[in-house]
Amino acid sequence: MTDRLLQCAQQCIPYFSAAVKSTPFCEYICLKVLPHYHELQELPDTDVKKQLIKVLAELTVNIGQLEDPTNCAKNVFERLIDYMILPPVEEDGSVTDAQFEFTKVECLMYAFHTIGKQCDNFLKDDEERLKDFRIRLQYLARGVSGYLKKLKEFLNSPAGRQDNDDVKFKKLALKTTENLQAMIKDLFHSPPIYKAKVVLSWKEEAAAQKRRLISAPATGGDAAKKGDATAAKKSKQPTRALYMDSLNSKKTGGGGGGKARVSAYVPPSKKSARPTGLYQPPTGQYSSKIKNPIVWND
C-alpha cells in the first residue's frame, strides 16, 4: 500500500502546475495518511517517512483551496513537532545541543507554512500551543544557526571549492538551513505570518541542473574546433555575384566610375510637368452612349 501510494504520487507530481492543482492528492495525504504516519510499513533500502513527507511538500507547491484546511494544518503540525524537540535541560540547568533531521523538518515546515496561509488562526487561537511551538522554534533556530555557520566555513575553505559528493551535499544542506531560517522568522513573528517565498532545497538544485544542461556553453577546445570547421566550410562555398550587382555592372559598363547602385530603379525628379491646354472629353464607343453630355461653359 505504501509503495503504491508513493509511486502514484511521484508519477503525478511533474504534471501539477499553477493551472493543474494538486489539491485532492495533498488533502488525501494530510487527512488519511498522516494520522497513521508512525504505522507506515517500512520498505527495504527506503526511508518511507522521509519519502512521504517529501512528496507532501512537493504537492503543496501547487495546491488550491482545501476543503478542510484546519484539519490538514493540524495533522501536518503534529508531525512537524515530532521532529522539533523541546530543549533538553541538564541537571546543572544548561541546555545541550541536539541532532535535528533538517530535511524532514524542512518538508513538514514547508507544508505547514503553505497550508497555514489558508487558516492563519490555527496557531493564534490556542495560546498554549503557540507558546510551546515558540519554545521548539527557538531551540530549532539555535541548531540551524550553528549548522549554517559550520557549512559556510567549510564551503569558503579550499576543501569546499572541490567538486565531489561531499561538497554537493554540503551545498544542499546550506540551502535547507537557509529555507528553515526564512520560515522560522515568519512563524516566530507575533502573530505568525506566512509570507516567505521558499523553494524546496532539492527542487532548486534540480532546476539549476536542468538550466545547466540546457544552456551549457561549449568548452574552449570544442568552441575552437567548431569555429575552425565553420570557417573552413564557409571558405569552400563558391561566391556568386548577386543579380542586382550584375545588372548595375552592365549599366555602368563594369567600371568603377559613377555612383554604385543596388537596383535599376530611377527615382522621379522633384518637379513634375503638369498637363496644359483645354480639357478634351473622352471619345469612343462607350462615351457616345452618354445621354447627358457634359457642357462646359467658357
Side-chain angles (χ1 to χ4, degrees):
M1 178 66 180
T2 305
D3 58 340
R4 283 180 290 179
L5 172 65
L6 291 175
Q7 290 176 3
C8 178
Q10 288 168 348
Q11 292 295 322
C12 293
I13 285 173
Y15 298 97
F16 294 128
S17 64
V20 182
K21 299 298 184 181
S22 59
T23 312
F25 287 82
C26 181
E27 206 156 31
Y28 178 83
I29 293 178
C30 291
L31 298 178
K32 303 295 184 182
V33 182
L34 288 185
H36 308 284
Y37 180 75
H38 296 292
E39 303 169 15
L40 292 175
Q41 180 183 1
E42 294 295 335
L43 299 175
D45 302 325
T46 304
D47 189 341
V48 175
K49 294 182 176 65
K50 180 179 178 181
Q51 292 299 320
L52 176 67
I53 58 180
K54 283 185 73 173
V55 165
L56 174 61
E58 292 188 48
L59 288 172
T60 55
V61 173
N62 294 302
I63 60 169
Q65 182 60 44
L66 297 166
E67 293 183 4
D68 191 0
T70 302
N71 279 326
C72 288
K74 175 178 173 293
N75 291 340
V76 174
F77 179 79
E78 289 176 352
R79 300 289 74 82
L80 173 59
I81 60 176
D82 288 342
Y83 297 100
M84 294 176 60
I85 61 175
L86 288 168
V89 181
E90 299 292 337
E91 294 181 358
D92 58 357
S94 62
V95 178
T96 59
D97 293 332
Q99 297 295 325
F100 292 97
E101 297 185 73
F102 289 122
T103 301
K104 292 181 179 179
V105 175
E106 179 193 11
C107 295
L108 288 166
M109 187 173 287
Y110 180 86
F112 178 73
H113 189 271
T114 306
I115 296 173
K117 296 175 183 177
Q118 300 186 21
C119 54
D120 57 354
N121 292 325
F122 175 77
L123 289 173
K124 293 186 290 184
D125 289 345
D126 191 330
E127 293 184 3
E128 289 298 323
R129 174 193 291 159
L130 180 58
K131 181 179 178 181
D132 176 79
F133 185 56
R134 280 182 170 164
I135 295 174
R136 297 173 187 268
L137 267 181
Q138 191 170 11
Y139 188 52
L140 174 65
R142 174 179 168 178
V144 168
S145 299
Y147 189 42
L148 185 61
K149 182 180 179 181
K150 292 179 181 179
L151 287 172
K152 288 183 176 180
E153 289 176 354
F154 172 80
L155 293 174
N156 289 329
S157 66
R161 299 187 182 93
Q162 299 177 6
D163 187 12
N164 53 47
D165 292 339
D166 185 49
V167 173
K168 292 178 181 178
F169 174 79
K170 293 288 196 301
K171 289 180 178 179
L172 186 63
L174 178 67
K175 182 58 183 174
T176 299
T177 51
E178 288 175 344
N179 285 346
L180 287 172
Q181 270 196 335
M183 292 186 288
I184 288 172
K185 184 177 179 181
D186 267 10
L187 296 173
F188 207 76
H189 191 273
S190 183
I193 56 177
Y194 307 89
K195 293 183 178 180
K197 293 182 180 181
V198 175
V199 179
L200 293 167
S201 56
W202 66 93
K203 296 293 288 183
E204 181 164 309
E205 177 62 25
Q209 180 66 20
K210 185 176 180 180
R211 288 194 297 270
R212 285 195 292 268
L213 291 174
I214 292 174
S215 60
T219 59
D222 295 340
K225 291 178 181 178
K226 187 176 180 181
D228 294 342
T230 304
K233 186 176 180 181
K234 287 184 178 181
S235 63
K236 291 180 181 180
Q237 292 179 349
T239 57
R240 185 177 62 181
L242 297 176
Y243 169 75
M244 292 180 292
D245 295 336
S246 61
L247 183 63
N248 183 52
S249 177
K250 290 179 182 179
K251 290 200 170 189
T252 58
K259 188 176 181 180
R261 295 178 181 174
V262 295
S263 72
Y265 172 73
V266 179
S269 60
K270 295 182 179 180
K271 295 183 179 181
S272 59
R274 301 186 58 153
T276 57
L278 299 175
Y279 171 75
Q280 298 293 333
T283 59
Q285 56 177 338
Y286 298 107
S287 301
S288 62
K289 295 180 182 180
I290 299 176
K291 295 180 180 181
N292 298 320
I294 301 174
V295 178
W296 298 88
N297 295 324
D298 296 335

